Amino acid sequence: MADYEFLSVAEVPAYLAAYPELAARIDVERIASVDEIGDGNLNLVFLVKDEAGRGVVLKQALPYVRMSGGSWSMTPERERHEVESLTAHRALVPDLVVEVLHHDEKRHIFAMEDLSDHSVWRPALNVGKVHNGVAERVGTYIGAVAFGTSLFALDRQQLADSQASAINPELCTITEDLVFTEPSVDAGRNAVLPANEADAAALSADTVFVDAMGRAKYWFMTCAEALIHGDLHTGSVMVRGAGDGTDADSVKVFDSEFAFFGPVAFDIGATWANYVLAASRAYALGEDARAEWALGLVEQTWRGFEDEFRRRWPERRDARVWRDTFLEERLAAWRAQSWLFAAAKMSRRIVGYAKVTDVETLPPDLREGAARGVLAAARAAVRVGPDTRAALFAQVCGGELVAHRTGR
Ligand code: SR1
Ligand code: MG
């Protein structure tokens, strides 16, 4: 039994009116619509509009995983992790992170700016939209967070306070299980098309892959480098713009409830995996040019990340020992780790719990090959040398996607 009240559509106007910081953003006497729009796996999300078109978004964490229907308990305190990380990240890159307007810790609710003139990037990709410049800006965000929330920017006490506040074991456990262990060791939550059962079995039997996942899980649980997003897939990014090959005019990262002090490369690998998933859909649909564009995003995110991290490097706290040689070492290590994290993130979305629409909404005859290609890409990614560049990662994955496509 929850010890707090769940928000309802009917209650939302009175809730907004009770908080001056919200009543200042929307006309609470003239609410035109309240819609529950949560389409993620976990939370309630309400979009509220007034008659003049102004809006706010309210998000409430439930004490369970929404997509489980209540059978899977989960701490609602995740809303605090989301608010604290969004606030810390926005302080570093204000243009690239959604604004938090209000926080109600007792009811695990917070309010955000209305981004309904944006689209979530994943569904935009799924319908063939091409917003340029997004991947690079996501890389800029990762680079800013990697530097600005880490020991390179914070003093010892700030770092300790931030690390202590960001301890997020329940959500980390979900990632540890779903992303690193369960793709190869089914805990009863995996599912694939009958035609892909042999592919899933081959993944489990691939000792090189399983060993690599063991290494990746170890890094995830031990490399407390920065206050990372923790779930940076294309469904955690909003984009605005025509989507016709021109530049996006706004990019906003959101949904960072999995934030904790973890490995910087986990966020990079998460984006790479999702670009491969987007490419798998495009190849399956015969849109090869768009698939190649999606694979090109891998290099763009890396470039945005590296440029931003290098830009901030002169501001580091102890240049006496963190010399430029150390910068080069870190970048090389992060690039190599990104490959493994990407492999983990690709495989979990095909085999495990919480799949993605990129592949799931394909007709089964096309889905079979897309799923097989992504699993083959994940297995290839863990076999490539640690010095390999981001662009080669994309090439290796693309080769597997093309080699395995079906239904043509
Ligand atoms: C039980 S939560 C399943 C997934 O939803 C979130 O979006 C995360 O990706 C998590 O792994
Ligand atoms: Mg999420």
Side-chain angles (χ1 to χ4, degrees):
M1 212 27 207
D3 59 359
Y4 62 97
E5 217 181 320
F6 297 165
L7 198 54
S8 65
V9 166
E11 187 204 349
V12 162
Y15 184 89
L16 295 172
Y19 294 97
E21 69 271 28
L22 295 177
R25 299 286 291 226
I26 190 163
D27 187 343
V28 293
E29 301 300 323
R30 290 184 178 73
I31 297 294
S33 61
V34 181
D35 294 300
E36 204 283 304
I37 55 163
D39 63 350
N41 300 329
L42 303 176
N43 307 296
L44 293 176
V45 184
F46 298 88
L47 172 62
V48 195
K49 290 280 197 186
D50 70 15
E51 288 171 8
R54 297 194 306 164
V56 295
V57 172
L58 294 173
K59 181 167 177 179
Q60 184 176 40
L62 297 169
Y64 51 80
V65 175
R66 182 176 182 172
M67 70 185 291
S68 77
S71 61
W72 185 342
S73 300
M74 195 201 290
T75 175
E77 216 203 324
R78 58 188 186 270
E79 113 287 342
R80 180 178 66 77
H81 291 292
E82 186 163 350
V83 167
E84 289 182 0
S85 55
L86 288 175
T87 305
H89 295 173
R90 190 173 153 86
L92 295 164
V93 269
D95 290 350
L96 296 180
V97 180
V98 65
E99 183 185 8
V100 174
L101 307 173
H102 155 86
H103 185 199
D104 171 357
E105 284 203 60
K106 282 206 182 81
R107 289 182 67 186
H108 306 287
I109 295 171
F110 69 98
M112 292 173 275
E113 64 181 311
D114 171 20
L115 294 177
S116 50
D117 58 347
H118 292 58
S119 316
V120 179
W121 199 14
R122 187 188 306 285
L125 288 162
N126 282 351
V127 297
K129 299 271 187 199
V130 172
H131 293 90
N132 273 325
V134 180
E136 187 174 355
R137 278 181 267 176
V138 171
T140 303
Y141 159 82
I142 302 171
V145 166
F147 187 93
T149 67
S150 77
L151 50 72
F152 296 121
L154 304 183
D155 74 28
R156 196 63 186 86
Q157 190 59 50
Q158 290 170 323
L159 181 66
D161 291 345
S162 183
Q163 285 174 328
S165 190
I167 292 172
N168 195 359
E170 281 196 46
L171 276 79
C172 285
T173 301
I174 290 176
T175 303
E176 289 151 20
D177 291 343
L178 297 189
V179 175
F180 298 111
T181 301
E182 293 184 20
S184 48
V185 184
D186 187 5
R189 291 192 276 239
N190 291 359
V192 289
L193 288 173
N196 290 122
E197 276 168 13
D199 306 305
L203 184 79
S204 298
D206 181 345
T207 52
V208 175
F209 180 79
V210 180
D211 286 345
M213 293 303 100
R215 216 174 307 133
K217 181 170 180 171
Y218 177 85
W219 289 337
F220 182 80
M221 296 178 74
T222 57
C223 297
E225 293 176 321
L227 180 59
I228 65 168
H229 181 286
D231 197 23
L232 190 55
H233 52 78
T234 49
S236 298
V237 178
M238 305 276 278
V239 297
R240 191 180 62 198
D244 57 359
T246 54
D247 280 1
D249 59 59
S250 173
V251 177
K252 301 279 184 186
V253 172
F254 69 111
D255 211 16
S256 54
E257 65 209 309
F258 284 77
F260 78 116
F261 264 78
V264 162
F266 186 70
D267 282 350
I268 301 169
T271 65
W272 289 8
N274 279 273
Y275 303 151
V276 173
L277 288 159
S280 78
R281 178 185 182 83
Y283 275 131
L285 294 170
E287 298 172 20
D288 291 22
R290 209 167 53 76
E292 281 154 29
W293 170 81
L295 290 170
L297 303 179
V298 167
E299 173 68 19
Q300 290 176 28
T301 290
W302 176 265
R303 181 64 33 227
F305 163 73
E306 182 177 342
D307 288 353
E308 180 66 11
F309 198 88
R310 285 187 187 281
R311 193 181 70 75
R312 290 178 185 252
W313 183 245
E315 306 302 318
R316 67 200 178 281
R317 284 196 159 263
D318 194 349
R320 296 166 304 175
V321 291
W322 293 326
R323 299 195 290 179
D324 288 347
T325 44
F326 184 66
L327 168 64
E328 302 308 324
E329 257 174 60
R330 287 293 353 117
L331 290 169
W334 284 331
R335 194 172 50 222
Q337 286 184 336
S338 298
W339 283 74
L340 286 202
F341 288 133
K345 293 285 239 176
M346 280 187 250
S347 60
R348 64 79 55 114
R349 295 296 189 193
I350 298 299
V351 174
Y353 191 74
K355 294 186 164 55
V356 286
T357 50
D358 316 42
V359 175
E360 289 301 293
T361 60
L362 289 169
D365 59 328
L366 302 185
R367 196 188 332 158
E368 175 190 337
R372 185 170 297 130
V374 173
L375 293 182
R379 293 174 64 190
V382 302
R383 287 174 160 80
V384 180
D387 295 332
T388 312
R389 304 268 152 185
L392 189 67
F393 169 89
Q395 215 179 310
V396 166
C397 293
E400 298 295 341
L401 298 179
V402 170
H404 293 286
R405 60 180 159 176
T406 51
R408 306 168 58 73

